[in-house]
Structure formats: C-alpha cells, structure tokens
Amino acid sequence: MSAEGDLELVRGLVGAALASLEASRSRIDDLNVYPVPDGDTGTNLTLTVRAVAETVASAEAGDRPALAHAVARSALMGARGNSGVILSQIVRGVADVLAEATNGIGPPLAARALRGASDAAYRAVRRPVEGTMLSVIRELAEEAERRAVEPQPLGDLLVELVRHGDEAVARTPEQLDVLREAGVVDAGGAGLVELLRGLAGAVTGEAVSAAPAAVASPGPDAIHLEQSRYRYCTVFVVEGDALDRDELEAQLDAFGDSLVVVGDEAALKVHVHTDDPGVALSLGTAVGTIEGVEIANMHEQQEQRKRRLSLVPSTRAKSGVVAVVAGEGNRRLFETLAEPVGTIRVVAGGQIANPSTAELVAALEALEADEAIILPNNPNVRLAAEHAAEQLEWRPAEIVPTESIPAGLAALVAYDGTRGAAENAAEMAGAAAAVATGEVTRASRDVELNGLAIRSGDWLGLADGEAVAGGDDFADVTFGVVTRLLVQPRALLTLLTGAEPPPLDGLLERLAAAYPELEVEVHEGGQPHYPLLLGAE
Amino acid sequence: MEAGQALSSRLGRITISSEAIAQIVAETAAECYGVVGMKGSLRGQLARARGRPRGIEIGRDGGEVTVDLHVVVEYGLNLAEVASSVSNRVAYEVERLTGLSVRAVEVHVDDVRTGGK
C-alpha cells in the first residue's frame, strides 16, 4: 500500500476509535473507582486518543516506521491520566510491531501487535494489578494468538476480540475487590474495549454490537471506598405503612454519616455509618419492623489491611553483601543499611590493614544468602576480593569495585537482597560511580603533590584520590575538598568522622553559608588515619 | 518515635505513626503505573533502616501530612502524567486508610529505567 494509503487508513482507524470512545465517555467516567475514584477515565482516554487523531490529521505521508513513530509519540505526549499513560504504552507496542509490516495486516500480525502492546504495558509497572486495563489487554493478546492460527478476515478476528474483551471486562470485579465493592467493572478496561469496538467497526464497515447490558453505575456501596470516622457500617430495611423517608433520614443524620435512605412508604432501606448501630436500629423499630440487618466493623477491615501492609517478609536473601570496612561507626552504618533489605557480613580492614583472602572467604561462606556481592571499599583490597571470589565455588560472587567507604555506602543504597548478585552488582556499581568521594588526613612527611607544598603534620585533602588542598587549618582544607566535590552540583554531602575526630564546627557553618541548598549529614565513622571521609551525591 | 497525629474518638485518641503512613505510601507507589522502582538518599535509607521504606519521607504538620517520594519511572512514559497519577493515588490511599488529611505529595522522578524488563 502507498504511504498516502497507509496514512488514510490510520486516520480512519484513529477516527473510528475516537468516535467510539467519545460515545461511551461519560459511562466510563462513571465507572471510575480505581485507582482513584475521580471519575475521569473516559475523559482521559478520549483526550489521549484525540491527541493521536490531531497528529495524524496534520501528518504528511511517510514510510511506515515514520508513521508508527509519529502515532506512538503523539500518544506519549498526549497521554492524560493513569489510563492515558497505559494506553500510550499499548499504542506504542502496537505501533512498534506494525511499523515492521511490509504488506497488509492479517490476523497473525494483529496478534503479534496485541502481544507487543500487552508486553509494553506490563513492562512499565512494578506490581501489575489484575482486574484493570492491564489484564484486559493481556487477555486480548492471548485470545488473538489462539484465533490467529485459523485463516480468517481481520474484521472477523476483531469482532471476536471485542466480544472476548467484553467478557474480560465483565470479569474484572472478580479480580479486583475495590470494583466488586463498588459494583462496577474496570473503567480503563471498558474504555479499551470501546476503542477496539470502534476499530472493529471501521474494519468490517458495520457497527459492532453495543456494550453489554449497561453495567450498573456505582451504587451506595461505593460509599465504602471513603474513610469514615465512624466505626460501624449499618444497613437494614424498615417495613411499615406510611413510612416517612425524610423524617427517618433527619433523625439518623444526627448519629452518623454516609447516610442513604431509599424506598417508599411501605419499605425503606437504610445505610448509615455510625458508632452506635443500636440507636439507628431503634429509630427503625420506632416506625416499623426491621429486617435484613447487617453491621460491619469498618475499622477492623482497615486494621487488617494495615497489618498486612506492615508485615515484613522474613525469607532468606537471594544475595548478600560482604564489605570491607574500617571503623566501628562505619560498620554500623553498613549493617543498618543492608539488614532491612538483605544480609551483610562486615570484615574489618582498609588502607593499612588489608584483610586476607582467607578472611574474605570465611565471611562469604558465612553469608546467609544464595549469592554474594563483595564491596572492597579500597583499591588495595580488590585483589584479595578477586581471589576470594574465585575460591568460592558453590556461590556466585560479584565484585563491585568500590574504592572508598563513602562509595561503598552509596553502592549499598542500591542493594536489594531479593535480587540476584549480578543484577545488584550492576545497580550498585552505577550508584557508587555517581558519588564523588573525598578524604582529609594528616601528611606523614613533607611532600609536594599537584603543586601543593605540604609539611609533615599538615592537613591534606584529597578529592577522588587526588591531592587538592593542604595546610594547617582543617576547615580551609576540607572546604577546598568540598569545593572540588561540588564542581558538579550535588544535593547531599555525607561526612564520616574518624577515630581522631576533626573540628567540624566552623566547617559546617561555612558549608551552610556557601551551599544553602546542600544537605549535610554527619556520621561517626570511627575509621583510623582519616579524620574525615566525604561523599557527595 | 514521633507520635502520630491523634484522631479523636469516643474511647480515646488514635495515633498513626509516620512509619505506618510510609508503608501505605510504599505499597501504593509500587502499584502505580509507570513506577518501576524507588530511590532514596543515604538519609532516606537510614530512615528506612529505622523501619521506613526506601525513598519515602513523611512530614507532619498539625493534622496534615506531607509525603516526599522518590521513584524510578519506565523510560518512554509521560513523566508529568505518571508523577501526577502517583501523587493523586498516594494522597487518596493515605487519606482513605488513615483519615489524616494530606497537604502535599511531592513526587521526585529520580531516574528513568531503560532497556525493558
């Protein structure tokens, strides 16, 4: 097909999808209770598709990859709201597959496009929630793959997919509690099927049967989605004759909130959140007979969820860390950082006192994890770490070649014991590389370094291993180091004080004055030889 | 531990700790579309080590809560929309589950993740 033909086809398809969504927009808005019940899903989806329609309306004919790129990009830029963002990924997945097509679109290609859409959509969420747009696009992809093996016109396949999509949407309340409680189907999923219905209609040339029997809009039960300051959800029916709805409502109003009283003179259904269900029931029995009483403790439900949220999994770590650290305070920092997310063994050592390979092997052996990561935290320890890793046969060990304690701490921030060693090592190395590190020590003899004449006993400041400042004033020297570390803007400066604690007071004030935006943290590191270690990130 | 803001009830005060709020934020953020990870400074990490999830700082001001949240978002998504969805969802869930009012949710997109899976 010509480039002009492709463009016309895409314009037609997008226009049909948009028209179908527009028609259902307010119904979909009404369904929206998840993730936030703000009633805008239909609007957001419509606006996102409209952005694509505007782009293709003004686009010039080009090759397929260029057209696909323009469509994907306009969905990305025009994405509105959570559902719009998900839709933009779905569009991108479809566009990426169709961009490669050289002929017409048949069922096998359509199935691949939907699979691409589903994969793209799932890739962007850490914990996918079932019963949403995500599960609907996945089920559409699965169904398309099942059906694509039989030869058939594309239109027939799309009509079948719309039907299957309607079923998938109808199942969402079984998958997501918040939908069932509100008595609705998922809004995003419903919108996605409406979009597909428009596409199917455009391809077959005839409208595809309307949405399944209008799903109820959120009923009084949706009220439960809101936190109530009252404890008990109380529901009952009052039967009698000449019941006065307004009067009963006014009486109940004084005892709670989320009040709904519906019905007629012969029967009223009451729903109220109250701390005293007995009073509510008494008001009912005063005017008639009550039945169908249901009282639920809402706070208990919320407590259960809160308890569930605070449970800490106590499973064995997939990977653990062995770190070579000097100083008792630094050891505690390493342990404090690693233990909540995994496990760590700290081996004492550093610049002067390098640990032996045997000590490292012993620590690696003792690690309660399947795989290991080694943080040498000093260039002189790296070789021993490599030897130790080689000697360890049954446990894969990765080395993150950190050259300082601050770099090791930064690496540890990226550690997550539920991941394997290789994956952790890659993330941790990246985190360590992002930190600029410095050291302040005392010169042990007269030296000239980088043009700095330094006398024995003077303060010597190093930034990333290079001498940058020297002199007899600690604050001056340290300030010189900090200036170097902050050549690139940094948000956070971590100071680790040594066994010989440095005079920090004047320094902190100068830093605050010179870098008002910089956050400065001071920890007692306790390392020998270096009164101060610095890390800037 | 800082005391949570009190909700008055007939039987006495109910307090909700910042740690509990941070847990709710962490659970919620992990489910938000586009969020593929959480980040935190060393300070945030140390806070987490004291019982809070990573990349989350909770501020309290009278009866109101502020949330600072550091996230990693999948490459190729509209960051402004993702951040705004995360902010809405977190505010909604915290208010729904705690009854406290949320004054602000600051979402910091610290990084984007590229290269699939």
Side-chain angles (χ1 to χ4, degrees):
Chain A
M1 194 183 278
S2 68
E4 287 77 15
D6 280 345
L7 183 56
E8 277 313 308
L9 177 65
V10 170
R11 281 178 181 156
L13 290 175
V14 175
L18 180 58
S20 179
L21 264 176
E22 296 258 19
S24 310
R25 173 174 168 169
S26 71
R27 175 178 72 89
I28 295 166
D29 279 345
D30 288 346
L31 293 173
N32 176 200
V33 296
Y34 180 89
V36 177
D38 45 9
D40 61 1
T41 301
T43 302
N44 286 335
L45 287 173
T46 304
L47 291 174
T48 305
V49 176
R50 191 177 288 161
V52 178
E54 284 166 6
T55 297
V56 295
S58 60
E60 287 178 19
D63 61 12
R64 282 188 174 171
L67 180 57
H69 180 76
V71 167
R73 185 175 163 75
S74 59
L76 164 68
M77 303 301 289
R80 282 279 295 265
N82 192 56
S83 54
V85 170
I86 301 176
L87 180 61
S88 75
Q89 283 298 89
I90 290 173
V91 169
R92 183 172 111 185
V94 168
D96 283 351
V97 172
L98 297 187
E100 304 303 322
T102 48
N103 286 310
I105 301 168
L109 187 61
R112 270 181 45 217
L114 284 171
R115 172 55 62 189
S118 174
D119 288 349
Y122 270 86
R123 202 177 299 139
V125 65
R126 191 177 187 192
R127 196 183 302 163
V129 177
E130 291 292 297
T132 64
M133 260 176 111
L134 289 175
S135 40
V136 173
I137 185 66
R138 194 195 64 232
E139 291 194 37
L140 287 173
E142 287 165 356
E143 183 70 5
E145 284 167 348
R146 267 195 296 276
R147 291 181 179 274
V149 293
E150 293 165 29
Q152 63 194 306
L154 178 64
D156 291 3
L157 174 68
L158 292 179
V159 170
E160 286 302 327
L161 287 179
V162 171
R163 195 158 301 150
H164 190 78
D166 281 336
E167 289 166 15
V169 169
R171 275 195 303 274
T172 55
E174 299 162 23
Q175 298 165 314
L176 187 56
D177 286 347
V178 68
L179 299 176
R180 187 175 57 244
E181 285 161 15
V184 295
V185 296
D186 180 63
L192 185 62
V193 174
E194 287 315 312
L195 192 155
L196 188 64
R197 194 186 312 281
L199 292 177
V203 171
T204 58
E206 50 192 81
V208 180
S209 60
V215 188
S217 38
D221 286 349
I223 287 165
H224 290 271
L225 298 174
E226 286 162 31
Q227 162 79 18
S228 173
R229 60 195 187 91
Y230 296 99
R231 179 175 287 273
Y232 299 103
C233 169
T234 308
V235 178
F236 57 93
V237 174
V238 190
E239 291 185 339
D241 27 64
L243 294 173
D244 186 336
R245 196 202 77 88
D246 292 346
E247 192 187 336
L248 184 58
E249 187 179 64
Q251 289 170 341
L252 284 163
D253 197 40
F255 299 98
D257 66 6
S258 299
L259 178 62
V260 180
V261 183
V262 292
D264 54 29
E265 292 177 350
L268 290 173
K269 179 162 186 178
V270 174
H271 170 282
V272 64
H273 292 172
T274 176
D275 281 335
D276 196 342
V279 171
L281 296 177
S282 303
L283 288 170
T285 52
V287 294
T289 57
I290 60 171
E291 61 179 272
V293 177
E294 288 175 37
I295 299 170
N297 181 344
M298 296 180 292
H299 288 195
E300 180 57 29
Q301 292 163 359
Q302 282 151 12
E303 286 301 316
Q304 280 171 3
R305 171 160 177 172
K306 239 173 73 189
R307 278 199 292 276
R308 212 171 59 235
L309 294 182
S310 57
L311 285 181
V312 180
S314 62
T315 47
R316 178 185 164 93
K318 188 145 181 251
S319 63
V321 175
V322 167
V324 178
V325 176
E328 198 47 39
N330 289 327
R331 164 196 286 270
R332 275 197 301 276
L333 282 175
F334 273 77
E335 288 173 348
T336 316
L337 279 179
E339 272 162 7
V341 290
T343 183
I344 190 168
R345 291 262 162 182
V346 173
V347 178
Q351 180 72 20
I352 311 293
N354 293 169
S356 67
T357 301
E359 282 176 81
L360 290 173
V361 169
L364 287 162
E365 300 271 355
L367 206 56
E368 290 180 3
D370 301 328
E371 301 178 8
I373 302 129
I374 308 174
L375 293 175
N377 297 336
N378 192 297
N380 297 348
V381 178
R382 182 154 177 195
L383 201 60
E386 281 171 7
H387 288 159
E390 281 163 18
Q391 285 183 24
L392 205 68
E393 278 165 15
W394 57 274
R395 196 203 302 271
E398 298 276 342
I399 298 170
V400 177
T402 47
E403 300 200 333
S404 67
I405 300 277
L409 283 173
L412 209 49
V413 169
Y415 162 67
D416 177 349
T418 62
R419 294 186 305 215
E423 197 186 339
N424 267 317
E427 296 259 339
M428 292 166 74
V435 179
T437 62
E439 293 150 5
V440 178
T441 185
R442 281 189 191 274
S444 53
R445 56 192 167 86
D446 291 355
V447 284
E448 189 168 323
L449 283 169
N450 290 346
L452 295 167
I454 296 155
R455 289 193 310 276
S456 175
D458 269 0
W459 296 103
L460 169 63
L462 302 107
D464 287 322
E466 206 179 301
V468 295
D472 58 6
D473 187 89
F474 173 80
D476 281 347
V477 170
T478 306
F479 195 79
V481 174
V482 172
T483 309
R484 273 303 192 89
L485 297 181
L486 300 181
V487 167
Q488 283 179 29
R490 310 276 183 172
L492 177 67
L493 179 69
T494 305
L495 304 179
L496 304 171
T497 58
E500 177 199 347
L504 281 183
D505 289 355
L507 175 71
L508 294 180
E509 282 147 24
R510 268 173 77 177
L511 287 175
Y515 302 102
E517 296 286 301
L518 183 71
E519 243 187 284
V520 181
E521 283 184 43
V522 183
H523 298 285
E524 283 179 27
Q527 68 276 358
H529 311 298
Y530 293 94
L532 193 65
L533 295 174
L534 306 91
E537 56 190 288
Chain B
M1 170 169 316
E2 63 206 287
Q5 184 56 36
L7 298 171
S8 59
S9 88
R10 223 161 42 90
L11 296 175
R13 282 156 39 108
I14 299 168
T15 59
I16 299 169
S17 71
S18 293
E19 282 75 12
I21 296 172
Q23 284 289 352
I24 292 168
V25 173
E27 284 283 318
T28 305
E31 281 185 0
C32 282
Y33 193 80
V35 174
V36 292
M38 312 278 287
K39 276 230 166 167
S41 63
L42 182 57
R43 174 190 291 266
Q45 290 294 291
L46 289 168
R48 175 176 58 97
R50 292 190 282 267
R52 296 183 200 170
R54 75 159 76 183
I56 297 167
E57 285 162 52
I58 305 294
R60 311 292 283 264
D61 179 14
E64 292 190 319
V65 178
T66 59
V67 179
D68 267 84
L69 177 60
H70 295 257
V71 296
V72 182
V73 174
E74 175 74 10
Y75 173 80
L77 296 184
N78 188 320
L79 297 185
E81 286 303 311
V82 170
S84 130
S85 295
V86 171
S87 166
N88 286 337
R89 177 99 203 277
V90 165
Y92 171 70
E93 288 292 328
V94 170
E95 292 193 342
R96 182 170 79 87
L97 292 171
T98 66
L100 298 171
S101 88
V102 175
R103 194 177 67 207
V105 179
E106 302 281 350
V107 178
H108 309 271
V109 178
D110 280 5
D111 206 350
V112 290
R113 186 187 68 174
T114 52
K117 195 64 210 137

